Amino acid sequence: MDTLCSLSGLDPLWDWNQTWYTHNPELSNCFQNTVLVWAPCIYLWVLSPFYCLHLYCHGRGRLPLSSLCSAKLVRQTAKTLCVIHWERVRGCRSSVFLFFFWLLGVVCSLIPLHAKVQLAVDQVREMTTDTDPKSFHANLFLFFSQNACPVQDASFLSKILFWWFSGLLFKGYRSPLQAEDLWSLREEDTSEKIISDLEEEWTAERTKLQHTSIALGSRLPEQAQFLRKIQKEQSSGFCLLRTLARSFGPYFLTGTLCLMVHDAFMFSVPQVLSLLLGFMKDEDAPLWKGYFYASLMFLLSCLQSIFNHQYTYTCFTVGMRVKTAVMGLVYRKSLVVNSAARRTCTVGEIVNLVSADTQKLMDFVVYFNAVWLAPIEITLCLFFLWQHLGPSALAGIAIVIFIFPLNGFIARKRSKLQEIQMKYMDGRVKLMNEILNGIKILKFYAWEKAFLEQVLGYREKELKTLKKSQILYSVSIASFNSSSFLIAFAMFGVYVLIDDKNVLDAQKIFVSMALINILKTPLSQLPFAMSTTMQALVSLKRLGKFLCQDELKPDNVTRESFKSVFENGTFSWSKDGPPCLKRISVRVPCGSLVAVVGHVGSGKSSLLSAMLGETEKRSGAVSVKGSSAYVPQQAWIQNASLQDNILFGREKKESWYQRVLEACALLPDLDNLPAGDTTEIGEKGLNLSGGQKQRVSLARAVYRKADVYLLDDPLSAVDAHVGQHIFNKVIGPRGILRDKTRVLVTHGMSFLPQADLILVLVDGEISERGSYQELLNRNGAFADFIHTFASSERKDCTEPPTAPRAPQHWLPTAPGVCSLLCNHIQEDLGKLTKVDKARIGRVKLEMYIEYFHTIGLPLIVSIVFLYAFQQAASLSYNYWLSLWADQPVINGTQLNTDLKLGVYGALGFAQGIAIFGTTVAISLGCIIASHHLHLELLNNVLHSPMSFFESTPSGNLLNRFAKEIDAIDNMIPDGLKMMLGYFFKLMEVCIIVLMATPFAAVIILPMAFLYGFIQSFYVATSCQLRRLESVSRSPIYTHLNETVQGASVIRAFNEQSRFIMGVNHKVDHNQTAYFPRFVATRWLGVNLEFLGNGIVLAASILSVMSKGTLSPGMVGLAVSHSLQVTGFLSWIVRSWTDVENNIVSVERVKEYADTPKEAAWSIEGSSLPPSWPQKGTIEFHDYGLQYRKGLELALKGISVHIKEREKIGIVGRTGAGKSSLALGIFRILEAAKGQIYIDGINIAEIGLHDLRSRITIIPQDPVLFSGSLRMNLDPFDAYTDEEVWNALELAHLKNFVSELPDKLNHECSEGGENLSLGQRQLVCLARALLRKTKILVLDEATAALDLETDTLIQSTIRSQFEDCAVLTIAHRLNTIMDYTKVIVMDKGHIVEMDSPSNLIAKRGQFYYMCREAGLL
């Protein structure tokens, strides 16, 4: 190149004397005319093929460009280029001609633009001709603004500096952000795109794992198979990781490349600092070099910031996609998991998988690179330190080698503790989910305290484990935060002690300190990265285990086009469990009605489950003709409108819809709804009576127009006359399903004569089959049963059906929905549940004060003192180093090095002890606060009335107990440690810079104000984004909870794809708030780090300007510390924001402190006798009850006296107020007027638990909790085993329980799903027999039992509760015909009350009800 330059008559290409060793540097002419000219061209020609290839592979679709437009563009460009060239030839510098050309082009384009805009407006107006002006403007806005994410069209500079995000920040700063202000997700971030690509890969991976497992398992002994099972769980986690890596790895690697470039710049900065300090020592060095080094340091710091934030942005994007993917896989798995696996994975555990475990995976994505890159960074740091200090650097290596195993040990211990903590958290969330599902039972039985203690037991163990983990983490933090001092102390000590001639000057000390500060980053990241990796491996194992659970086999049932058949089928609920059905062979004729009868637990529901493919097929075959519809024994109702529950995803056909409503006896109910059939139904149908739920469930099946209908005792929960109406209109030979195949499980004898085929099940086998007449003629067990019981049940089937009367009060059992009638706003009619709303604005100061108040003032004062002390120690030893560096060298040595080293060591060790003290104090303080907040939340929720649970989705509450409590446990302490630590460090740096160059105050003060502005500007938006993200997370949990509980119904109706689309929409909605949240942090980081780099530049420039007056030691101290400001500023606001964002969790947990509460559970100093009530008399004095103030009374002027030992039957049409009477006695609803006296004591004046624990109810919906059978019977352990067995014997459960392997310790699954509905009802009866109070309320308690068991139970109740007052809300009138009195209710009034015989003689309402039931 020099030869080429000389041939051209130019200078050499490069001349050091001209460019470097001079006071006026210049580049040579040859360099200017060659390298500077060619560089852009070489860049263009070398990289353009790669850029074209990138565009080809990652194009986002062609931007439209018409041929006319292309021709215009070519013509105008050619003409313009010609004019420009001719102007240059003729020496014209400024072109008036071209100026007017561009101006004219702009003006002439305005008119076509106006025409196109007007055309677009007209199109929108045509679309909205029938809408109101408000709707028109909304459509117009949507037409022009799709709210697409601006990153798609942002410029390169805008992308790397995140300026494209500024628009949302400005909007959030002016007014609090709303959900509609957020951008829609990019296509590559949507659930549909992510999961469709991932699901196929995961299925293949899982199949491969299972085949390997099966092949090995068959050849292994028992112990080896157990080990293989554990290994399979581990392998499933790695398989999941491999699948995620294949899908998201390539994009993640681009971020890793950015991190590597960032590291290159990071290691360049200390080398430039070394040159700057060398310049300060060299008195003859030209001044421009100092400015050059200062500018170069600033430039490298800026590039470091840019690449670091691009890496973090990539990691968070991948993390977000991983979260979406895992949530999607878990949800899809929950729809196909078989019953055996379902019993091991409760709803609470599944919620934990999609909340806590997905968060662990996101953290893993962000910090994973530190696991392998941190050791490389440490090695490079030690290499550069060797260059400066020689073999003394080995002392630093020794310290690192000591710190690594220590923290590796701590990481392993913390991983084990975290696994234990997650187990306790799973148990707590699972128990909370069950409490929320069975809250009504808890209130009826006054069991809140027992379950509160169980939850607190889990919580205490969880916090104890967390405390151990946090103390270990404090040791880790102390060792790593002190690591820079320990390494420096070891290296400097060895350096000066091994040779007196070794002098520590400014260059050696502060370049080494800069390298050690770099070393501190990987050293501090490594334990966190290792801990995060360990936690992620635990989460991957848990997720893999769930995702590899056995699924329902598609070949359990084959679909035929002409028949439904069982061929010698044997079925069980699990692979290894005992068969629930044996040798089942039956052919179901098309269009026939098949009735299935049998005792409780005989396998009736299992038969329907086998037809749905829900059971394990051991042998034989099952085929079902065409599509199926299923009505479960316990109705599954969605939290949606009544109409949506019936349509269940199908298009509404008005005539058929009305016909279904009429047939299912729902039309009269609709007239009383606030918003007709668009009225919202609460979770699990909480605001419906049992009969209403069952009719809605039946209507959903009927509307489907399926080929086969599987009906699991749908008529047991409805009144006799309504049941007859539904049978005649829907199920029977003249019903609208008469041409369909119907399999009806029933206990109603009156329907059997009309069945085409009757199957009698005994212990899982078909003992008899045939038509009703055939079975009677055989004179078998069935005939004996019919002759014994049918006389009280049978009805003359020729009698024309009586249409059910309209219920007078909609939703009698629920106070929740009625409150909405108070709201006269039209669009709110029928709305029940309260949406989880985000608060707006910054978190109030009172919330911080309240949080810190729970920690306690003494602890806070000690924390602040310890932080101040540790930073004072740090400042002292750093200043001591600068004094050491400036000490003159006498005869090649420095004096008193031992003293200097001793003082330096003492100050450093004092700082290390203070660091440990502060972290432990913050951890303990935050655990104390977390304990108080959880206890307060739990007490607030359990003290809330039933109306609260009916209007608050369980997902909202579970979100508080899972995600928000987890944030308070873990995120707030970490955020506080980080924020306070970096704040005090920043104060130290500012003091050092001002000590070195007081003039820097002129720059630092304005930057502080700018920093404050950026911080407030950012936090306003970030905090609101956090709230919006939290709010949008709750519906995911609610939807998941609902789906898991209704999975069998969803599968039966083949609606999986619709529910998957629903969860996709909810996850995407959540991610629209999460995505801008982490981009906001990147925007903040870039801006603050550029601000911090300005301080580096200021410190460097001012040091260069003060070259003659400042010592190298002071310059080294100021500049090396100012290099850390960038990170400090960023971390302070980030941690501050994290604290504020997570204080939102405190805010959300405390939301329920102000909601209405029930009366006190117990009243101190109460004079209530221990044996109250002794007689069991009940007196209603002009009693009135309403669901909300201002509404019509549901019970009106009830005055009745129930004497001791009286047996009272309460009857009436649906909605007459029967159940409201029971709610009033138990004070689930408080009296609007009048009083209820029990044994002469006004129940309003005693504690709720004092009342509810002294009277007993057997509810219509039997609820069991996961735990032992004994715990379900006696949660307080108040009774002996003998008493429990006696109660089971009286409830006809003793034989069943004694045959169980664990007997009383038999583990009930969540909701008692491993027991039949009838068995659960008998367990509820056993509870009542144990308590044996003087007052018993039966709310359709035997509806799910067969007639024989019902008769036995009725006789048990009569004998065991002979000396008690019994109130029975009855649908089966035959059960109360021998009662002392019957109360007939209508419209909230008692219309008749007398003995059954007298009421029949009076020929009133009771007489006609008896006639309808076939009892007369």
Side-chain angles (χ1 to χ4, degrees):
M1 188 61 84
D2 284 345
T3 309
L4 181 65
C5 289
S6 61
L7 287 173
S8 305
L10 300 171
D11 304 331
L13 180 68
W14 188 262
D15 185 355
W16 284 104
N17 291 322
Q18 187 180 355
T19 56
W20 192 251
Y21 302 113
T22 177
H23 286 276
N24 297 301
E26 291 286 346
L27 292 169
S28 69
N29 288 329
C30 182
F31 190 91
Q32 292 179 41
N33 291 317
T34 55
V35 175
L36 296 184
V37 172
W38 296 346
C41 299
I42 292 168
Y43 161 79
L44 184 67
W45 284 104
V46 170
L47 295 182
S48 57
F50 297 101
Y51 182 62
C52 291
L53 180 65
H54 168 77
L55 289 177
Y56 176 77
C57 296
H58 298 93
R60 293 203 299 269
R62 183 190 176 104
L63 295 174
L65 190 69
S66 66
S67 54
L68 179 63
C69 184
S70 303
K72 283 181 182 177
L73 185 65
V74 170
R75 190 179 71 234
Q76 288 179 2
T77 305
K79 283 183 181 178
T80 305
L81 288 172
C82 290
V83 170
I84 290 170
H85 178 68
W86 183 242
E87 285 177 340
R88 287 177 64 82
V89 168
R90 303 308 300 165
C92 178
R93 293 182 181 277
S94 177
S95 176
V96 176
F97 173 78
L98 285 179
F99 170 75
F100 279 108
F101 166 73
W102 296 120
L103 180 65
L104 191 62
V106 170
V107 171
C108 293
S109 300
L110 290 174
I111 296 170
L113 176 66
H114 172 266
K116 284 174 179 157
V117 170
Q118 189 59 47
L119 179 64
V121 170
D122 291 342
Q123 286 175 355
V124 176
R125 204 183 295 278
E126 283 173 19
M127 287 190 290
T128 55
T129 48
D130 298 327
T131 57
D132 56 44
K134 195 186 291 184
S135 176
F136 165 70
H137 286 110
N139 284 324
L140 185 66
F141 174 76
L142 288 171
F143 187 83
F144 286 112
S145 161
Q146 295 301 315
N147 215 15
C149 183
V151 70
Q152 304 277 29
D153 302 314
S155 66
F156 173 72
L157 194 62
S158 178
K159 280 180 181 176
I160 64 170
L161 296 176
F162 299 97
W163 288 344
W164 55 270
F165 186 74
S166 302
L168 194 67
L169 279 167
F170 277 111
K171 188 182 282 187
Y173 185 68
R174 285 196 299 266
S175 61
L177 288 175
Q178 303 296 329
E180 53 271 18
D181 296 324
L182 304 178
W183 307 310
S184 55
L185 281 178
R186 297 172 295 180
E187 186 191 356
E188 58 266 32
D189 294 331
T190 57
S191 297
E192 190 175 354
K193 173 70 176 168
I194 290 169
I195 298 168
S196 60
D197 297 342
L198 186 75
E199 195 173 15
E200 198 174 322
E201 285 191 30
W202 169 245
T203 305
E205 195 73 52
R206 187 172 59 83
T207 307
K208 197 192 307 177
L209 180 70
Q210 285 178 339
H211 284 165
T212 309
S213 213
I214 292 165
L216 285 171
S218 57
R219 301 195 297 270
L220 292 172
E222 191 177 337
Q223 294 88 348
Q225 284 192 15
F226 176 71
L227 292 172
R228 181 67 196 161
K229 183 184 174 186
I230 295 171
Q231 191 182 346
K232 181 190 170 186
E233 288 176 10
Q234 201 74 43
S235 302
S236 61
F238 286 116
C239 285
L240 178 60
L241 180 62
R242 195 160 55 236
T243 307
L244 293 170
R246 273 203 294 268
S247 295
F248 308 114
Y251 183 60
F252 179 73
L253 287 175
T254 62
T256 305
L257 184 63
C258 288
L259 183 61
M260 293 166 75
V261 175
H262 157 268
D263 280 6
F265 289 129
M266 181 175 70
F267 282 108
S268 303
V269 171
Q271 309 309 315
V272 179
L273 174 62
S274 177
L275 294 171
L276 179 65
L277 292 174
F279 159 80
M280 295 297 292
K281 281 172 66 178
D282 186 358
E283 295 177 2
D284 299 328
L287 207 59
W288 70 267
K289 284 189 180 180
Y291 293 127
F292 171 72
Y293 293 141
S295 304
L296 183 59
M297 207 179 302
F298 172 73
L299 178 64
L300 289 172
S301 298
C302 289
L303 289 170
Q304 186 183 331
S305 299
I306 286 169
F307 279 98
N308 180 41
H309 287 290
Q310 284 301 314
Y311 160 70
T312 315
Y313 170 76
T314 305
C315 284
F316 273 103
T317 304
V318 171
M320 179 180 78
R321 291 173 185 173
V322 166
K323 179 183 175 183
T324 299
V326 171
M327 276 184 165
L329 287 176
V330 169
Y331 184 81
R332 282 154 180 76
K333 184 70 179 185
S334 69
L335 282 171
V336 295
V337 74
N338 68 11
S339 57
R342 168 71 187 85
R343 284 169 188 163
T344 64
C345 306
T346 63
V347 179
E349 286 168 349
I350 295 171
V351 166
N352 245 1
L353 289 177
V354 298
S355 59
D357 289 296
T358 52
Q359 186 61 48
K360 298 287 186 292
L361 288 189
M362 289 173 73
D363 294 341
F364 169 69
V365 170
V366 175
Y367 294 103
F368 167 69
N369 274 323
V371 173
W372 65 271
L373 198 56
I376 295 172
E377 290 172 349
I378 291 165
T379 306
L380 283 170
C381 281
L382 294 172
F383 169 74
F384 288 122
L385 285 167
W386 182 287
Q387 284 189 325
H388 280 274
L389 299 173
S392 304
L394 291 172
I397 295 172
I399 296 295
V400 171
I401 289 170
F402 166 73
I403 289 172
F404 259 99
L406 172 67
N407 283 276
F409 170 76
I410 289 171
R412 282 196 303 276
K413 289 291 288 181
R414 288 193 72 220
S415 173
K416 287 177 184 173
L417 288 170
Q418 190 249 345
E419 200 166 344
I420 295 166
Q421 187 196 341
M422 289 298 290
K423 187 181 80 175
Y424 291 137
M425 185 182 171
D426 275 350
R428 178 173 60 80
V429 174
K430 168 186 159 186
L431 185 57
M432 275 313 305
N433 183 59
E434 292 193 65
I435 286 171
L436 296 175
N437 288 340
I439 190 67
K440 200 169 187 179
I441 298 300
L442 259 64
K443 291 194 175 298
F444 273 136
Y445 286 125
W447 281 358
E448 293 101 326
K449 280 185 181 175
F451 280 83
L452 181 139
E453 284 168 12
Q454 282 190 47
V455 172
L456 292 181
Y458 277 115
R459 182 68 179 155
E460 191 179 338
K461 291 174 185 172
E462 187 184 352
L463 289 180
K464 195 175 179 181
T465 311
L466 181 65
K467 193 184 291 183
K468 290 178 184 174
S469 178
Q470 287 292 348
I471 289 170
L472 284 172
Y473 190 45
S474 297
V475 174
S476 186
I477 287 175
S479 67
F480 276 106
N481 281 354
S482 303
S483 59
S484 57
F485 155 73
L486 290 170
I487 293 167
F489 179 67
M491 287 193 301
F492 295 161
V494 171
Y495 185 73
V496 297
L497 292 175
I498 58 173
D499 190 348
D500 289 343
K501 300 293 181 185
N502 285 345
V503 173
L504 280 176
D505 59 8
Q507 201 166 3
K508 279 192 174 64
I509 287 177
F510 292 108
V511 172
S512 297
M513 290 304 293
L515 285 166
I516 289 168
N517 284 330
I518 290 175
L519 182 62
K520 209 155 92 173
T521 303
L523 280 175
S524 62
Q525 279 185 349
L526 194 59
F528 189 70
M530 287 165 64
S531 172
T532 304
T533 304
M534 293 297 178
Q535 289 176 13
L537 289 175
V538 171
S539 293
L540 278 167
K541 181 181 167 185
R542 283 157 52 84
L543 285 162
K545 181 184 173 184
F546 175 72
L547 293 172
C548 285
Q549 290 281 12
D550 292 335
E551 297 179 2
L552 293 167
K553 295 173 186 171
D555 62 350
N556 279 346
V557 175
T558 55
R559 296 287 168 185
E560 299 281 354
S561 57
F562 53 87
K563 61 179 179 178
S564 298
V565 175
F566 279 90
E567 293 180 359
N568 196 27
T570 298
F571 305 90
S572 64
W573 285 107
S574 63
K575 283 180 183 176
D576 307 320
C580 58
L581 293 170
K582 293 165 277 188
R583 298 179 287 280
I584 302 294
S585 293
V586 63
R587 182 180 296 271
V588 179
C590 289
S592 63
L593 171 59
V594 178
V596 182
V597 297
H599 294 297
V600 170
S602 60
K604 303 184 294 299
S605 298
S606 300
L607 186 73
L608 299 190
S609 295
M611 293 184 76
L612 290 169
E614 298 284 321
T615 54
E616 288 284 333
K617 184 175 68 178
R618 295 283 189 86
S619 62
V622 188
S623 59
V624 175
K625 178 197 170 186
S627 61
S628 59
Y630 174 51
V631 180
Q633 195 170 9
Q634 270 192 302
W636 175 70
I637 305 294
Q638 282 185 277
N639 179 205
S641 70
L642 186 89
Q643 178 177 289
D644 290 339
N645 267 288
I646 294 171
L647 298 181
F648 207 53
R650 290 299 174 97
E651 184 185 348
K652 185 179 180 182
K653 294 177 180 175
E654 191 61 41
S655 59
W656 177 241
Y657 178 69
Q658 291 299 327
R659 198 175 161 198
V660 169
L661 290 178
E662 191 277 327
C664 295
L666 282 168
L667 273 179
D669 295 313
L670 297 187
D671 298 334
N672 296 282
L673 290 175
D677 57 0
T678 58
T679 299
E680 186 183 4
I681 308 303
E683 276 190 86
K684 305 180 195 71
L686 267 174
N687 53 333
L688 297 179
S689 69
Q692 287 162 340
K693 281 192 278 189
Q694 203 59 274
R695 281 183 279 141
V696 171
S697 179
L698 181 65
R700 174 170 59 211
V702 175
Y703 188 83
R704 180 57 53 136
K705 289 187 176 177
D707 298 310
V708 177
Y709 283 83
L710 306 175
L711 312 171
D712 196 352
D713 205 10
L715 305 179
S716 62
V718 297
D719 294 335
H721 67 285
V722 177
Q724 191 64 52
H725 168 88
I726 290 171
F727 186 83
N728 290 331
K729 293 280 187 176
V730 179
I731 302 167
R734 295 189 296 277
I736 56 178
L737 299 181
R738 56 184 172 273
D739 298 326
K740 307 289 185 180
T741 304
R742 293 141 289 153
V743 181
L744 172 68
V745 171
T746 184
H747 295 135
M749 298 295 105
S750 62
F751 309 127
L752 296 182
Q754 298 178 67
D756 301 307
L757 175 66
I758 298 171
L759 302 177
V760 183
L761 282 174
V762 177
D763 295 331
E765 294 189 61
I766 298 176
S767 63
E768 294 181 78
R769 74 184 73 199
S771 67
Y772 183 77
Q773 202 55 48
E774 287 171 357
L775 291 176
L776 285 180
N777 293 339
R778 285 180 197 162
N779 293 321
F782 177 79
D784 293 342
F785 174 77
I786 289 295
H787 292 315
T788 307
F789 296 103
S791 59
S792 63
E793 178 75 23
R794 192 188 308 137
K795 180 185 174 197
D796 184 6
C797 298
T798 59
E799 182 184 336
T802 308
R805 288 182 52 185
Q808 302 304 322
H809 294 282
W810 172 247
L811 317 174
T813 61
V817 75
C818 305
S819 62
L820 296 146
L821 295 172
C822 301
N823 194 342
H824 300 295
I825 303 169
Q826 188 65 32
E827 55 264 31
D828 285 345
L829 281 179
K831 192 73 183 155
L832 171 67
T833 53
K834 296 169 187 170
V835 179
D836 209 3
K837 290 183 180 176
R839 295 195 184 189
I840 56 173
R842 297 280 294 269
V843 177
K844 292 178 181 175
L845 183 63
E846 290 84 3
M847 199 55 64
Y848 289 98
I849 293 169
E850 206 163 332
Y851 179 75
F852 290 122
H853 179 70
T854 56
I855 294 175
L857 187 62
L859 205 53
I860 291 170
V861 170
S862 61
I863 288 167
V864 173
F865 170 75
L866 284 167
Y867 266 117
F869 176 77
Q870 80 179 46
Q871 232 49 56
S874 174
L875 176 63
S876 301
Y877 75 65
N878 280 303
Y879 184 65
W880 186 257
L881 273 180
S882 73
L883 295 176
W884 190 349
D886 289 334
Q887 189 187 18
V889 178
I890 301 167
N891 297 325
T893 62
Q894 290 175 314
L895 300 175
N896 301 321
T897 52
D898 292 347
L899 174 66
K900 293 183 177 67
L901 190 63
V903 172
Y904 178 63
L907 290 168
F909 280 111
Q911 185 206 17
I913 293 166
I915 290 170
F916 176 73
T918 50
T919 50
V920 168
I922 287 178
S923 298
L924 294 178
C926 291
I927 286 171
I928 290 167
S930 183
H931 170 73
H932 283 302
L933 288 166
H934 177 268
L935 182 61
E936 187 181 346
L937 172 67
L938 186 60
N939 276 318
N940 282 330
V941 168
L942 290 181
H943 279 84
S944 296
M946 274 307 299
S947 56
F948 169 80
F949 297 98
E950 286 156 8
S951 60
T952 307
S954 62
N956 294 7
L957 295 169
L958 273 182
N959 189 18
R960 302 297 194 280
F961 281 101
K963 185 74 176 176
E964 309 297 357
I965 290 293
D966 186 50
I968 293 167
D969 284 349
N970 298 301
M971 306 301 288
I972 292 179
D974 291 348
L976 281 173
K977 288 172 196 170
M978 207 177 288
M979 183 183 77
L980 290 170
Y982 284 114
F983 175 75
F984 280 100
K985 283 175 185 173
L986 182 67
M987 296 298 292
E988 179 192 346
V989 171
C990 290
I991 290 168
I992 287 171
V993 171
L994 290 171
M995 281 169 59
T997 53
F999 190 69
V1002 177
I1003 295 158
I1004 288 175
L1005 288 173
M1007 282 194 171
F1009 283 114
L1010 187 59
Y1011 165 80
F1013 170 72
I1014 290 173
Q1015 186 268 342
S1016 62
F1017 187 72
Y1018 160 79
V1019 170
T1021 300
S1022 174
C1023 201
Q1024 194 63 14
L1025 285 170
R1026 168 75 168 82
R1027 286 184 176 126
L1028 290 171
E1029 194 266 332
S1030 290
V1031 163
S1032 61
R1033 201 188 310 122
S1034 296
I1036 299 172
Y1037 301 151
T1038 303
H1039 187 74
L1040 179 63
N1041 196 338
E1042 197 170 65
T1043 302
V1044 171
Q1045 289 174 346
S1048 58
V1049 176
I1050 295 166
R1051 288 192 290 265
F1053 284 84
N1054 200 25
E1055 286 289 327
Q1056 295 97 314
S1057 57
R1058 182 169 67 85
F1059 276 78
I1060 286 169
M1061 282 176 62
V1063 82
N1064 283 354
H1065 171 73
K1066 286 175 170 59
V1067 170
D1068 287 350
H1069 183 56
N1070 177 243
Q1071 300 293 40
T1072 55
Y1074 178 76
F1075 176 70
R1077 229 186 98 196
F1078 73 74
V1079 176
T1081 314
R1082 305 281 64 77
W1083 177 92
L1084 172 78
V1086 166
N1087 283 282
L1088 283 187
E1089 287 183 21
F1090 270 69
L1091 195 65
N1093 294 335
I1095 293 177
V1096 174
L1097 182 64
S1100 307
I1101 294 288
L1102 288 170
S1103 298
V1104 172
M1105 290 169 67
S1106 309
K1107 184 182 178 185
T1109 57
L1110 275 182
S1111 67
M1114 210 61 193
V1115 171
L1117 183 65
V1119 175
S1120 64
H1121 274 72
S1122 67
L1123 284 171
Q1124 300 175 64
V1125 169
T1126 308
F1128 290 169
L1129 284 173
S1130 177
W1131 279 107
I1132 285 171
V1133 174
R1134 202 175 304 173
S1135 53
W1136 185 347
T1137 309
D1138 281 346
V1139 170
E1140 182 145 356
N1141 283 345
N1142 289 302
I1143 284 287
V1144 171
S1145 293
V1146 177
E1147 182 183 66
R1148 285 165 63 75
V1149 160
K1150 293 188 78 68
E1151 269 178 16
Y1152 298 129
D1154 302 324
T1155 53
K1157 300 292 181 290
E1158 285 185 313
W1161 285 348
S1162 57
I1163 296 171
E1164 286 185 23
S1166 172
S1167 58
L1168 195 68
S1171 58
W1172 178 89
Q1174 292 175 324
K1175 298 177 181 177
T1177 61
I1178 306 172
E1179 297 173 64
F1180 290 82
H1181 289 183
D1182 193 28
Y1183 183 76
L1185 178 147
Q1186 61 187 161
Y1187 294 118
R1188 284 292 185 278
K1189 287 182 181 178
L1191 298 181
E1192 185 186 355
L1193 293 177
L1195 293 176
K1196 304 165 187 173
I1198 304 293
S1199 291
V1200 64
H1201 182 210
I1202 298 167
K1203 298 174 185 174
E1204 58 182 298
R1205 305 180 67 178
E1206 276 194 325
K1207 307 296 181 279
I1208 307 295
I1210 304 170
V1211 298
R1213 311 290 180 178
T1214 300
K1218 306 186 296 293
S1219 294
S1220 300
L1221 208 59
L1223 296 177
I1225 294 172
F1226 281 84
R1227 285 178 63 193
I1228 299 295
L1229 293 175
E1230 297 289 357
K1233 66 170 188 172
Q1235 300 89 30
I1236 300 176
Y1237 290 89
I1238 295 179
D1239 276 11
I1241 292 177
N1242 186 348
I1243 64 169
E1245 295 173 359
I1246 62 175
L1248 289 178
H1249 280 191
D1250 295 334
L1251 168 67
R1252 293 169 184 170
S1253 62
R1254 312 289 182 92
I1255 56 179
T1256 303
I1257 187 169
I1258 304 178
Q1260 188 172 7
D1261 295 326
V1263 175
L1264 300 188
F1265 302 93
S1266 60
S1268 70
L1269 189 60
R1270 198 190 195 297
M1271 187 279 292
N1272 272 285
L1273 290 166
D1274 177 25
F1276 291 99
D1277 283 330
Y1279 303 97
T1280 63
D1281 281 1
E1282 187 181 349
E1283 288 173 311
V1284 173
W1285 278 111
N1286 187 41
L1288 289 172
E1289 185 175 10
L1290 292 169
H1292 304 279
L1293 272 175
K1294 185 176 181 179
N1295 290 340
F1296 168 72
V1297 175
S1298 58
E1299 288 171 8
L1300 294 171
D1302 297 324
K1303 303 204 169 28
L1304 286 177
N1305 293 321
H1306 173 69
E1307 197 68 20
C1308 297
S1309 63
E1310 189 175 17
E1313 288 183 1
N1314 54 350
L1315 299 178
S1316 74
L1317 185 64
Q1319 287 167 335
R1320 277 178 263 164
Q1321 196 66 276
L1322 292 175
V1323 171
C1324 291
L1325 173 66
R1327 284 175 185 162
L1329 289 163
L1330 262 180
R1331 288 161 70 105
K1332 203 170 182 185
T1333 55
K1334 285 292 181 179
I1335 295 172
L1336 173 68
V1337 180
L1338 297 162
D1339 188 0
E1340 291 306 325
T1342 57
L1345 305 177
D1346 61 275
L1347 281 177
E1348 187 176 356
T1349 309
D1350 186 10
T1351 306
L1352 290 170
I1353 294 306
Q1354 293 295 340
S1355 66
T1356 301
I1357 290 169
R1358 287 180 182 87
S1359 61
Q1360 294 301 311
F1361 293 94
E1362 186 182 1
D1363 58 345
C1364 305
V1366 177
L1367 281 72
T1368 300
I1369 298 165
H1371 287 159
R1372 291 178 178 173
L1373 298 183
N1374 61 301
T1375 61
I1376 59 166
M1377 293 305 285
D1378 61 343
Y1379 273 31
T1380 316
K1381 288 179 185 174
V1382 171
I1383 295 173
V1384 182
M1385 299 199 68
D1386 191 17
K1387 300 182 184 179
H1389 292 281
I1390 294 176
V1391 292
E1392 293 179 353
M1393 179 177 172
D1394 209 332
S1395 64
S1397 56
N1398 288 347
L1399 289 176
I1400 290 168
K1402 290 177 184 175
R1403 291 180 171 259
Q1405 281 197 25
F1406 185 69
Y1407 168 79
Y1408 289 106
M1409 290 172 75
C1410 291
R1411 278 192 61 189
E1412 287 173 2
L1415 299 177
L1416 300 177

